[in-house]
Amino acid sequence: MPAQNARSLCEYIDASPTPFHAIDSSIAALDACGASRLDEREAWSLEPGKPYYVARDGASLVAFRLGRAAPSESGFSIAGAHVDAPGLRARMEKSVAARGFSRVAVEAYGGPIHSTWLDRPLSLAGRVALRAPGGTVERRLVNFARPVAVIPNLAIHFNREMNKGVEYAMNVSLLPIVAAAGSQPSATSPAAPAPSWLARAVAAELGMEPDSILSAELTFVDAAPSITMGADSEMLSAPRIDNLEGCHAVLSAFASAGAGSHGQVAALFDNEEVGSATARGADSSFLRDVLARVVSLTDAPGPEALHRALARSFSASVDGAQGWHPSYADKFDEDFAPVLNGGPAVKANANVRYATDAVGEAVFRSLCESEGVPCQRFRMRADLAPGTTIGPISSALLGVRTVDVGVPMLAMHSARETAGSYDHDHMIRALSAFYAAGPSVVG
Ligand code: ZN
């Protein structure tokens, strides 16, 4: 049965309700493998063979291990994934109260499946910006790590057509209930507005006054823990498998990789679910900035060394694949429909919604073959448009050949997704082979 890796993944997901927490969890894993932290604002001093990492705004991270040879002679093996997930972002200041109920206004982050957030105990987590001495702003993470809210459905007696499909309006039907005080008066009064329920709850959680909170990025998340299930624990049921599975696989392979002649890079980005065009997303300068600094500190002077290093590099964009669903077989091209526990899928698309080209696919497939890891293919049914990943964006920014790969999963973008427990082992082994082989394997 799948053991240690699946258990570690469940712990990683449960400790990472938001991108900020995912970066914290990732930093803990990198610290445990002896990596040294770097600050973008400070000067760096680097040693060959040692692992380092740098975080940007607490929500994205690049880790790297220098090779024995200069980057311009050996290039980088770069594996990337995204730490964010679709969900319900709370509107901090807005309370909605009626007849003893308090609700929190929300807006969608990315493209969640709305109905999956209903009738499920929800927790709350995120990052808070606080008033600090000297007029500065202090950032603090908060994680309630317990059920605090629920979004109840309407009783079926009010809508007998409910099982034919319901549209849930974000501003009406998807407001999480956070208190039910019966006949108690509402906490807010129009004449003298009190702090919102959310401001009071977050302040209490952090042990401070509500007026210390200047702003926040808070998200409602599934409160139930991640589990393995099935006769042989072969299925993984968890929130945010897209794409914390990818992040954990990249980190696990990076942490256990030995130093080679080439550089090894693990990049975790926020904001993929909203297009990546942010200061901490894949469509930012972050990864290129880090690689340029590494090359400038360890290679020949002048701009040529970076160009040579990138031209020798190879990248894997690791993100979930749509697994074949037995109830909706007609949605798939059956020849390109990966199944759970059948191994990582290489994703490709004629219009480059995935970055994979023939050479990239061939290299990844042969790495899997050499490790005895099963490998599948995903192509969207030809009359449907697939999603996308960080792959096309980062490969365009860096000019580095990239292959898009991911473990198959069901119910992608649901509050809770299902994947194959064995596939996590498969992906870690494939990425370990990717890091060990180095970019010269592309030829
Ligand atoms: Zn994804």
Side-chain angles (χ1 to χ4, degrees):
M1 72 183 266
Q4 187 54 42
N5 287 328
R7 273 201 297 275
S8 302
L9 174 57
C10 288
E11 288 167 13
Y12 178 77
I13 290 174
D14 292 345
S16 308
T18 72
F20 311 115
H21 295 87
I23 293 304
D24 262 17
S25 306
S26 306
I27 285 173
L30 289 162
D31 286 341
C33 80
S36 302
R37 184 170 199 150
L38 300 169
D39 187 323
E40 282 196 279
R41 296 166 296 188
E42 306 296 333
W44 296 356
S45 164
L46 306 174
E47 286 176 43
K50 278 196 64 178
Y52 298 90
Y53 65 88
V54 53
R56 179 175 280 190
D57 195 23
S60 293
L61 179 147
V62 175
F64 61 90
R65 186 184 286 107
L66 294 170
R68 288 186 295 271
S72 59
E73 297 296 333
S74 58
F76 297 103
S77 291
I78 306 165
H82 69 88
V83 286
D84 59 323
L88 303 182
R89 181 71 60 86
R91 290 188 161 179
M92 183 80 182
E93 304 79 10
K94 184 164 174 168
S95 272
V96 183
R99 306 195 69 180
F101 284 111
S102 294
R103 294 186 296 163
V104 174
V106 291
E107 58 187 307
Y109 175 84
I113 303 175
H114 291 181
S115 61
T116 63
W117 258 261
L118 279 84
D119 303 323
R120 170 191 297 280
L122 299 174
S123 182
L124 185 67
R127 184 167 71 176
V128 181
L130 302 168
R131 200 186 305 278
T136 57
V137 171
E138 180 191 344
R139 285 166 267 202
R140 194 91 73 84
L141 298 194
V142 62
N143 181 8
F144 282 69
R146 63 182 183 277
V148 295
V150 67
I151 308 170
N153 252 302
L154 179 68
I156 197 167
H157 315 87
F158 295 110
N159 180 5
R160 300 284 182 184
E161 303 292 299
M162 202 164 210
N163 290 329
K164 295 181 179 169
V166 177
E167 190 174 329
Y168 296 99
M170 188 61 60
N171 61 329
V172 178
S173 311
L174 290 182
L175 279 59
I177 292 178
V178 291
S183 57
Q184 305 268 326
S186 161
T188 47
S189 135
S196 67
W197 176 92
L198 196 51
R200 285 183 284 118
V202 171
E205 198 69 18
L206 295 174
M208 55 187 47
E209 294 301 316
D211 65 1
S212 308
I213 300 172
L214 299 174
S215 189
E217 295 168 73
L218 298 164
T219 304
F220 286 99
V221 294
D222 182 12
S226 305
I227 54 168
T228 55
M229 52 186 253
D232 194 25
S233 297
E234 75 275 17
M235 286 181 283
L236 177 71
S237 170
R240 304 179 295 283
I241 295 177
D242 172 18
N243 185 35
L244 292 184
E245 188 283 332
C247 296
H248 190 259
V250 168
L251 282 172
S252 301
F254 177 84
S256 60
S261 58
H262 55 283
Q264 297 155 337
V265 180
L268 307 182
F269 293 107
D270 193 11
N271 295 144
E272 189 273 345
E273 300 290 357
V274 292
S276 296
T278 67
R280 61 202 198 209
D283 198 4
S284 72
S285 61
F286 186 30
L287 179 54
R288 195 179 178 96
D289 287 350
V290 172
L291 297 180
R293 284 180 78 163
V294 168
V295 172
S296 72
L297 289 167
T298 59
D299 213 313
E304 192 180 45
L306 176 64
H307 297 301
R308 292 180 64 204
L310 292 177
R312 290 182 188 275
S313 296
F314 181 47
S315 173
S317 158
V318 185
D319 199 352
Q322 288 84 350
W324 184 77
H325 194 311
S327 302
Y328 303 96
D330 62 321
K331 293 289 184 189
F332 294 82
D333 181 328
E334 62 187 13
D335 294 317
F336 299 100
V339 294
L340 267 52
N341 291 318
V346 177
K347 303 181 287 179
N349 170 253
N351 294 302
V352 201
R353 301 287 289 164
Y354 304 121
T356 310
D357 65 0
V359 174
E361 173 162 12
V363 170
F364 189 82
R365 293 184 71 80
S366 59
L367 285 173
C368 286
E369 203 175 298
S370 66
E371 288 301 304
V373 172
C375 186
Q376 310 184 78
R377 284 191 169 98
F378 176 74
R379 308 284 187 272
M380 200 69 171
R381 209 179 73 181
D383 61 327
L384 299 174
T388 189
T389 69
I390 61 169
I393 293 166
S394 61
S395 76
L397 279 176
L398 297 175
V400 168
R401 170 170 279 119
T402 298
V403 60
D404 258 299
V405 298
V407 301
M409 68 182 69
L410 307 178
M412 190 183 285
H413 290 197
S414 171
R416 203 167 178 91
E417 298 160 330
T418 300
S421 305
Y422 294 105
D423 282 334
H424 192 47
D425 291 318
H426 293 143
M427 182 58 93
I428 292 171
R429 286 174 57 207
L431 292 174
S432 297
F434 165 85
Y435 279 129
S440 64
V441 70
V442 177

